[in-house]
Amino acid sequence: MEDRKPKILLAEDDTNLGMVLKNYLELNDYEVELCRDGILALAAFRREKFDICLLDIMMPNMDGFKLAEEIRDVDPDIPLFFLSAKTMKEDIIQGYKLGADDYIAKPFDSELLLLKIKAILKRNQELNSKEEDIHEFKIGRYEFNARLRTLAKEGETHTLSPKENELLRMLCEHKNDLLPRELALKKIWGSDTYFNGRSMDVYIAKLRKYLKEDTNIEIVNIHGNGFRLVVKE
């Protein structure tokens, strides 16, 4: 992202709010694509590359929750914020279950939103550019290259997402020992909130699926404390 402005997909059907927010973000050196319904936003997401998505929930044609599902199918790791007047606990929980990095209730402070955007983009940039963390790990029958984000077994190679890669790297660094839950959450997600914890559990389940063909490998949940990558030699 050093050679270009970070690009934001803004899905917002309120014309006034959408334009005000678009102009504010552009004044702060972001490129913004404003879409006024979910179908147009999904088309834009599939057509172009974005660094973060800001989604209203109550939109015509396709609501923000459905849009988030479609976006997550294409890119499970792109940062995603919901901007919504829906403040019921059930709506907020649903937003986080869909993989939101944040759920921001309207009306909100634009300066605070800007700070949150900067923080999440900085975190992702660090996760994607760890040139100093060049590691190769042998995990049972698997070869894991943390620099290339590849997990290979017997000629088959799977490319991991940035969060999957970082989480597996930390598990490997603590192999057969405890990886504290709080440490992983703060390192990868930025904070150890309940909702980030739920998100990490989803990624642990994904890693278990990738490693399931070797019965000598197990990711054990140490309740309330963290995880252990157990590899029987």
Side-chain angles (χ1 to χ4, degrees), residues 67-79:
L67 175 58
E69 289 179 358
E70 297 288 343
I71 286 173
R72 282 284 178 247
D73 284 344
V74 177
D75 186 343
D77 281 302
I78 187 166

Side-chain angles (χ1 to χ4, degrees), residues 67-124:
L67 175 58
E69 289 179 358
E70 297 288 343
I71 286 173
R72 282 284 178 247
D73 284 344
V74 177
D75 186 343
D77 281 302
I78 187 166
L80 187 158
F81 289 2
F82 283 114
L83 311 177
S84 180
K86 294 170 70 71
T87 57
M88 295 290 289
K89 179 180 178 181
E90 293 77 11
D91 295 315
I92 296 172
I93 289 174
Q94 184 177 355
Y96 280 111
K97 282 183 176 179
L98 289 171
D101 292 271
D102 210 334
Y103 190 109
I104 301 173
K106 297 178 180 177
F108 53 81
D109 186 308
S110 297
E111 186 176 357
L112 179 59
L113 173 63
L114 183 65
L115 290 173
K116 290 188 173 189
I117 290 171
K118 288 180 178 179
I120 204 78
L121 292 180
K122 182 175 184 292
R123 181 205 71 185
N124 270 32

Side-chain angles (χ1 to χ4, degrees), residues 161-219:
S161 72
K163 284 181 183 174
E164 291 169 349
N165 186 74
E166 185 69 4
L167 185 54
L168 184 55
R169 184 182 70 82
M170 293 187 74
L171 285 166
C172 288
E173 291 175 346
H174 293 77
K175 188 173 77 170
N176 294 322
D177 200 352
L178 175 70
L179 170 60
R181 189 177 184 87
E182 180 181 0
L183 176 64
L185 284 170
K186 288 185 176 179
K187 181 79 171 179
I188 302 172
W189 276 264
S191 66
D192 59 344
T193 66
Y194 167 79
F195 295 109
N196 284 341
R198 292 289 294 272
S199 176
M200 183 168 71
D201 291 338
V202 171
Y203 280 87
I204 287 289
K206 290 180 180 180
L207 293 179
R208 286 184 176 129
K209 182 178 179 181
Y210 299 151
L211 299 168
K212 68 179 181 180
E213 291 184 22
D214 189 337
T215 57
N216 290 318
I217 301 171
E218 185 179 9
I219 301 177

Side-chain angles (χ1 to χ4, degrees), residues 125-142:
Q125 186 177 9
E126 289 172 351
L127 290 180
N128 282 292
S129 61
K130 289 182 173 291
E131 293 300 323
E132 70 280 11
D133 292 333
I134 301 175
H135 291 297
E136 294 183 4
F137 299 93
K138 176 74 173 174
I139 314 171
R141 293 156 53 197
Y142 295 87

